[in-house]
Amino acid sequence: MSRTIELPSQSRDLTFGKSGSMGLSRRRRLAHLASGAVLIASLATACADAQAGGGKSLQASGSTTVAPVAADAAQALKAQGLNITVATQGGSAGGISQLGAGQLDIALSSKPISDEDRAASPKTDYVSTQIGSDAVGVIISKQVADAGVKNLTAAQVAGLFEGKITNWSKVGGPDLEVFVYDKEPGRGTREVLDKYLYNGEKPPPPPNSDNFAIVGGNLETRNKVESTPGAIAPLSTGFIEGRDKLVAVTLDGIAPSMENVASGKYPMTRPLYLVTNGQPKGTAKTFIDYIVSDKGQALLPKHGYLTLKQIGK
């Protein structure tokens, strides 16, 4: 069962700079993916040849953050006769789980492999190749930001997501109810938020509130925040470039600028990975080698992500 990769509906150019509403001056150009860059196929079974590293058919799925880069690379390699399927199914956790079950050749992940992942698939030799880095923002509407919410502390963010702060007036904003869109457990975005808020401690259960909902991928999250007055959500900052209605607040006074993400100063920075079972071989190796090459790395800034060179790797 496959899912179509999430893609923004408008084509946008992207450049990096030192300023901007999010701290990252960049624009995205993704609409060309919708016209053919994304290859969709069933993920019910994986090709045996590709799994062994000896064939040209390769299945990759997982993180909706990593998927646009993977789709671009798949399209580029298609000209070389390589058949590479890119899909999104269950986010990072879904990709890792499918890789462990032998249903994929490459898991797309925006979170490191955890001890729980290894325990769930003890026979899987998870090998992660970092391809870049990304910032997760606490995203609110421009309406709320313009009314006074420019910065939030970790305690305030926790209060908002835990349902203890229910009106934006409590944090210097308008008299408007807060609506929380949180990520599914196991999503890379959610894990970054949990690490920032709880520093490894188990997060509390979701609030029992009509103003709280769970969302999945990045596009769904963005669309929900744009369409819901008073909404807040964790979301890759690259997904709000060019979206005039959305703002990534500074966290404890630190903006998600390129410099702060590269240095790790910004508190919600995460690596982006391609994960294989064992060292990559065959088509998987060709695919990964391309993405970490100069040509492949040039794909990351298009989607708002930092390259390995930009983060000093």
Side-chain angles (χ1 to χ4, degrees), residues 112-175:
I113 301 297
S114 66
D115 291 341
E116 289 78 9
D117 295 326
R118 298 186 190 280
S121 302
K123 295 183 179 180
T124 302
D125 178 20
Y126 289 109
V127 175
S128 300
T129 301
Q130 187 173 355
I131 64 168
S133 188
D134 175 40
V136 173
V138 173
I139 308 303
I140 64 175
S141 70
K142 188 175 183 297
Q143 173 192 2
V144 173
D146 286 348
V149 182
K150 307 292 185 181
N151 175 73
L152 292 171
T153 66
Q156 288 173 329
V157 175
L160 289 160
F161 278 88
E162 292 171 11
K164 296 175 181 177
I165 299 174
T166 59
N167 193 294
W168 284 108
S169 63
K170 301 298 184 181
V171 290
D175 183 11

Side-chain angles (χ1 to χ4, degrees), residues 71-118:
D72 276 358
Q75 179 66 12
L77 292 172
K78 185 179 180 182
Q80 298 181 19
L82 300 183
N83 179 18
I84 301 170
T85 296
V86 175
T88 60
Q89 197 169 43
S92 297
I96 292 168
S97 176
Q98 290 174 77
L99 180 67
Q103 298 172 330
L104 291 178
D105 306 296
I106 296 179
L108 314 175
S109 182
S110 58
K111 72 183 189 75
I113 301 297
S114 66
D115 291 341
E116 289 78 9
D117 295 326
R118 298 186 190 280

Side-chain angles (χ1 to χ4, degrees), residues 9-24:
S9 61
Q10 297 181 12
S11 176
R12 303 184 185 276
D13 293 330
L14 175 83
T15 57
F16 273 107
K18 296 184 179 179
S19 63
S21 61
M22 299 189 302
L24 286 173

